[in-house]
Amino acid sequence: MNVQQIVLNSRPEGMPSLTNFSLTDASLAPIKAGEFLVKNLWMSVDPYMRGRMIDRKSYIAPFALGEVLEGGATGEIIESNHADFPVGAKVSSMNGWRSHYITDGSDHTLLPETPLCPSHFLGVLGMPGMTAWTGLNRIAELKEGETLFVSAASGAVGSVACQLGLLMGAKVVASVGSDEKAETLKAMGVEQVINYKTTDNLSAALLAAAPQGIDVYFENVGGEHLSAALDNMNDHGRIAVCGMISQYNDTIPTPGPSNLAYIIMKKLKIEGFIVFEHWAHYPEFAKQMGQWLASGQVKAEQTIYEGLEQAPNAFIGLFEGKNSGKMVVKLA
Amino acid sequence: MNVQQIVLNSRPEGMPSLTNFSLTDASLAPIKAGEFLVKNLWMSVDPYMRGRMIDRKSYIAPFALGEVLEGGATGEIIESNHADFPVGAKVSSMNGWRSHYITDGSDHTLLPETPLCPSHFLGVLGMPGMTAWTGLNRIAELKEGETLFVSAASGAVGSVACQLGLLMGAKVVASVGSDEKAETLKAMGVEQVINYKTTDNLSAALLAAAPQGIDVYFENVGGEHLSAALDNMNDHGRIAVCGMISQYNDTIPTPGPSNLAYIIMKKLKIEGFIVFEHWAHYPEFAKQMGQWLASGQVKAEQTIYEGLEQAPNAFIGLFEGKNSGKMVVKLA
């Protein structure tokens, strides 16, 4: 059958552009014994994918030029020769950026029966939600009554981190890039939201928003945000470093904060993490998050682009702040 | 009686100079009930004191202008009206920078009977030695077979960190500022020593010295050293942040490393610490260190300046790299 897929045409330098991507046709052979055919319903675009477009050694192999891109996706099985994966079942995989594919089911997870849209398994119930949960619970060990600062707070990870912070009994301070995003977070119960794009002095704004100081910083941005957080951290504060999106498109390395000596003076702990290393805790997370979603205590906000051909635009949009909540692409 | 002391005359801007200090005379009243008179034998100069010369909030109050400076000292009791502190006993205190003083004994520790020179209670058996031990054992949790990188490795803390690293079964890579210091460390058993002052590319030098990568970095320097360490850290590496001496005399803030994103990619943990918060573990440390010193497994190197009037020179010398091992001033 004829299918469509998006390949990496060239490696971005600086901000990715549409010319880095090509939409191509391919044909799939009939499925063999032990295989099944998946029609993707939703695919994910995430900031970490920018790192995979660089040809370097990292925690995950770089994308190859001319090859189909990869990323989270949820799809429906439309043909099957595999007993464990029947037709009609829905699966999540890393086989995004394509309309259909054939697999033997390795690295595939059957989605549970649920009234939730399968897109949420790419967001609040998937990698981004699990990242927020891991950073707060397993890395920073946020405690009730503490003050949490979340940057890129309207993103897929940040918006969950803010909501979990509130559920954990923390005071939450958030930073976002537009007044609309600030309003969305305020509607979720976050009292202090800074629009960093209209703020001259982020450190002073953070002090005004949290005069009691910051105990935990959930770091998604880097650069000036990290510097402002360091200025305002309390003694024995913890920084869970999830991402530094402000630097992913740098062509010239940006210097780091000049106030790193606060690490000593305030006895801070800064820890980077990759959620996949914590995946053994996914069932624990999924159980809690499923309950919060069902009860409405966590809201699953999404920004949806429609059509595989829109996936590059959706990806580029991540770095232009076009998403509020999880950015997903609806494929079918 | 007439005594001598050194007061902070003005706050240094950039590198401290002799004009920041004044040697002054004072007179002590006779001791009262519950007091004793100490003649200081040795005093310590340490890099952290530079921070106390700045008028700012930190983990320890700033020095006051016109007041006698403070710092570690060991002395002998020469008159006493205090049952617990008899004449002839030796004590350690924070009452350095003066020839004599009267005290009621609060914050004083009696030194044990030992053939060791009392100066070592300011160095390998005191705060700097305890700092090295704490950083490796309680912060970075260095394990046998790992690779340890120590900067400012010929300093009071660094030289102990190198030796403890070897005793703990680590491969040790050290960075120092002169070939003589490198030779001293090599004589202690450190195989890979980098003279950063004659090295164009510290990151490349570190890669050559430790192609297997760095598991633990004992950070005393900051700046380029931190950047080179980040380049060469292994996954799940730990950085114990003890000091950033390269920045203590900055008049304009120095930007931090541009490669902080390695914190995420390599899942690093960076933790600052202040040894005083770990002082409950001093007896455990002192027991081990006493045995290592007695057996010759740890060598207690010192650089000695003679006379209270030389204390400012000794302090300034810390930032010029004039010490090898612990910098101390012999007062009597």
Side-chain angles (χ1 to χ4, degrees), chain B residues 10 19 48 79 87 119 121 128 135 144-145 152 159 167 185 197 200 217 246 256 264 273:
Chain B
S10 55
T19 61
Y48 81 87
E79 275 185 55
V87 170
S119 63
F121 289 90
E144 192 178 344
S159 64
L167 284 169
L185 282 179
K197 287 194 179 164
D200 281 343
Y217 172 39
S246 71
I264 312 161
F273 70 106

Side-chain angles (χ1 to χ4, degrees), chain B residues 20-61:
Chain B
N20 300 129
F21 304 87
S22 294
L23 180 68
T24 64
D25 290 314
S27 70
L28 297 181
I31 59 171
K32 298 181 204 144
E35 292 185 337
F36 56 94
L37 173 66
V38 177
K39 177 186 183 182
N40 270 334
L41 303 174
W42 296 88
M43 63 163 272
S44 183
V45 289
D46 299 283
Y48 81 87
M49 294 173 178
R50 179 65 181 84
R52 291 193 71 184
M53 294 177 183
I54 304 168
D55 190 13
R56 68 170 171 205
K57 188 168 170 276
S58 184
Y59 62 93
I60 186 165

Side-chain angles (χ1 to χ4, degrees), chain A residues 56-59 219 226 235-236 241-244 247-248 253-274 277, chain B residues 56-59 219 226 235-236 241-244 247-248 253-274 277:
Chain A
R56 66 170 173 207
K57 188 168 169 275
S58 183
Y59 63 92
E219 163 70 305
L226 178 55
D235 278 8
H236 297 112
V241 189
C242 167
M244 292 192 174
Q247 293 168 28
Y248 292 176
T254 314
S258 60
N259 57 352
L260 292 175
Y262 279 132
I263 298 171
I264 311 161
M265 287 192 265
K266 299 180 176 182
K267 299 142 278 182
L268 304 178
K269 189 173 85 171
I270 302 177
E271 189 168 352
F273 69 105
I274 301 291
E277 295 188 349
Chain B
R56 68 170 171 205
K57 188 168 170 276
S58 184
Y59 62 93
E219 163 70 306
L226 178 55
D235 278 9
H236 297 111
V241 189
C242 168
M244 293 193 173
Q247 294 169 27
Y248 293 175
T254 313
S258 60
N259 57 351
L260 291 175
Y262 278 132
I263 297 171
I264 312 161
M265 287 191 266
K266 299 180 177 183
K267 299 143 279 182
L268 305 178
K269 189 173 84 171
I270 303 178
E271 189 168 353
F273 70 106
I274 301 290
E277 294 188 348

Side-chain angles (χ1 to χ4, degrees), chain A:
Chain A
M1 72 181 286
N2 259 2
V3 301
Q4 287 196 301
Q5 49 196 28
I6 292 178
V7 304
L8 184 64
N9 201 35
S10 56
R11 300 197 182 280
E13 299 193 9
M15 179 68 91
S17 72
L18 292 179
T19 60
N20 299 131
F21 303 87
S22 295
L23 180 68
T24 62
D25 291 313
S27 69
L28 297 182
I31 58 171
K32 298 183 205 143
E35 291 185 338
F36 56 94
L37 173 65
V38 177
K39 177 185 183 183
N40 271 333
L41 303 175
W42 296 87
M43 65 164 270
S44 183
V45 290
D46 300 282
Y48 82 88
M49 295 174 178
R50 179 65 182 84
R52 291 193 72 184
M53 294 177 183
I54 304 168
D55 191 14
R56 66 170 173 207
K57 188 168 169 275
S58 183
Y59 63 92
I60 186 165
F63 293 126
L65 280 181
E67 296 289 321
V68 189
L69 289 161
E70 294 171 5
T74 54
E76 183 174 346
I77 300 174
I78 56 172
E79 275 185 54
S80 180
N81 284 331
H82 194 307
D84 298 337
F85 292 93
V87 168
K90 295 194 177 73
V91 288
S92 70
S93 75
M94 285 298 285
N95 293 10
W97 300 88
R98 66 203 81 185
S99 65
H100 302 73
Y101 61 91
I102 291 170
T103 176
D104 64 4
S106 51
D107 297 324
H108 275 62
T109 307
L110 282 168
L111 299 188
E113 292 284 336
T114 166
L116 288 167
C117 175
S119 63
H120 293 310
F121 289 90
L122 302 175
V124 68
L125 267 172
M127 185 273 284
M130 175 71 182
T131 300
W133 183 89
T134 301
L136 295 181
N137 284 282
R138 296 181 43 80
I139 305 297
E141 299 180 86
L142 179 69
K143 292 175 196 69
E144 191 178 345
E146 289 191 322
T147 297
L148 167 69
F149 173 45
V150 180
S151 57
S154 64
V157 175
S159 63
V160 180
C162 287
Q163 295 182 77
L164 294 188
L166 292 170
L167 285 170
M168 292 166 81
K171 296 180 190 76
V172 179
V173 179
S175 157
V176 297
S178 79
D179 289 343
E180 293 88 329
K181 291 176 179 178
E183 289 310 314
T184 306
L185 283 180
K186 284 179 185 169
M188 287 175 178
V190 180
E191 285 184 26
Q192 297 288 340
V193 188
I194 298 166
N195 178 349
Y196 75 90
K197 287 195 178 163
T198 56
T199 299
D200 281 343
N201 184 330
L202 188 56
S203 179
L206 197 49
L207 177 62
Q212 73 278 20
I214 307 293
D215 300 299
V216 169
Y217 172 39
F218 196 106
E219 163 70 305
N220 290 312
V221 173
E224 202 185 334
H225 274 83
L226 178 55
S227 180
L230 288 167
D231 279 345
N232 286 285
M233 294 301 289
N234 287 328
D235 278 8
H236 297 112
R238 290 89 67 201
I239 302 181
V241 189
C242 167
M244 292 192 174
I245 194 170
S246 72
Q247 293 168 28
Y248 292 176
N249 295 313
D250 282 352
T251 48
I252 297 167
T254 314
S258 60
N259 57 352
L260 292 175
Y262 279 132
I263 298 171
I264 311 161
M265 287 192 265
K266 299 180 176 182
K267 299 142 278 182
L268 304 178
K269 189 173 85 171
I270 302 177
E271 189 168 352
F273 69 105
I274 301 291
V275 71
F276 301 112
E277 295 188 349
H278 301 264
W279 214 254
H281 295 266
Y282 180 79
E284 183 189 345
F285 155 75
K287 188 178 164 197
Q288 278 198 338
M289 184 55 85
Q291 289 166 352
W292 285 324
L293 278 172
S295 66
Q297 288 174 284
V298 170
K299 305 231 177 320
E301 217 199 339
Q302 298 186 122
T303 299
I304 299 173
Y305 281 51
E306 298 215 17
L308 179 61
E309 71 283 1
Q310 287 301 314
N313 269 325
F315 177 68
I316 293 166
L318 291 172
F319 303 100
E320 299 173 335
K322 291 206 171 148
N323 59 310
S324 191
K326 178 70 187 108
M327 179 79 102
V328 285
V329 182
K330 187 173 185 181
L331 298 185

